[in-house]
Amino acid sequence: MFRLHQQVFDNGRQERGEVVYVYPVGGLMKLQNGTGVPWLAAKENCSAVEKRKPAVIKRANGEPFRIPPGTIPYENVRPFDLRVGDFAFLQGRLLPIRDMRGGFGGARTLIFENGRARAAEDAEKVYRHL
């Protein structure tokens, strides 16, 4: 049921830990918290910790997209404030900006990881790493 390096929550101790060893008999396993402190826990007192799924946001047209992990939204970003590494929309998907080319009057062309490009809008919504 439990495997090595799995994150579990020990209800008896009220602490989260990582499985270090599963004893073959007796229903015990050895857990270790983030600071390296080990303890024995009964399997029936533990539950697996679910990994968080990325938040799904519905766009105005109803099409969902996933926010890149570790980013926060920035509204109304002007073309000259965009950065390489920001996530911007391209055909309904959030893709990282890999390169930019400038033009006269602050216009920019955004180049994405797959080589596709588009012109930057006057007010972009981007997702930027913290």
Side-chain angles (χ1 to χ4, degrees):
M1 182 172 158
F2 294 106
R3 63 186 190 285
L4 290 178
H5 306 294
Q6 181 179 7
Q7 295 292 322
V8 297
F9 185 77
D10 183 358
N11 293 316
R13 189 175 168 130
Q14 294 295 310
E15 190 171 355
R16 185 178 178 165
E18 179 181 335
V19 177
V20 178
Y21 184 78
V22 179
Y23 292 93
V25 292
L28 292 176
M29 59 185 171
K30 189 175 189 179
L31 301 178
Q32 180 176 323
N33 65 10
T35 59
V37 177
W39 74 92
L40 289 177
K43 290 180 185 177
E44 64 266 6
N45 288 342
C46 296
S47 57
V49 176
E50 297 289 328
K51 289 188 175 181
R52 284 188 180 182
K53 296 181 180 177
V56 176
I57 297 176
K58 294 284 185 178
R59 294 182 50 196
N61 64 1
E63 181 182 325
F65 68 93
R66 296 201 184 278
I67 296 174
T71 62
I72 57 174
Y74 285 84
E75 301 276 344
N76 301 322
V77 178
R78 296 170 292 191
F80 54 85
D81 288 331
L82 291 170
R83 299 179 189 167
V84 171
D86 287 348
F87 287 81
F89 285 102
L90 176 69
Q91 298 174 344
R93 294 179 52 210
L94 278 173
L95 296 174
I97 299 171
R98 293 295 179 213
D99 198 5
M100 291 183 281
R101 299 287 188 256
F104 295 107
R108 286 213 169 157
T109 300
L110 307 178
I111 302 170
F112 296 92
E113 64 183 8
N114 54 7
R116 291 193 273 176
R118 73 165 173 84
E121 298 173 6
D122 291 335
E124 290 273 347
K125 179 175 184 177
V126 298
Y127 290 80
R128 189 171 286 167
H129 288 283
L130 299 174

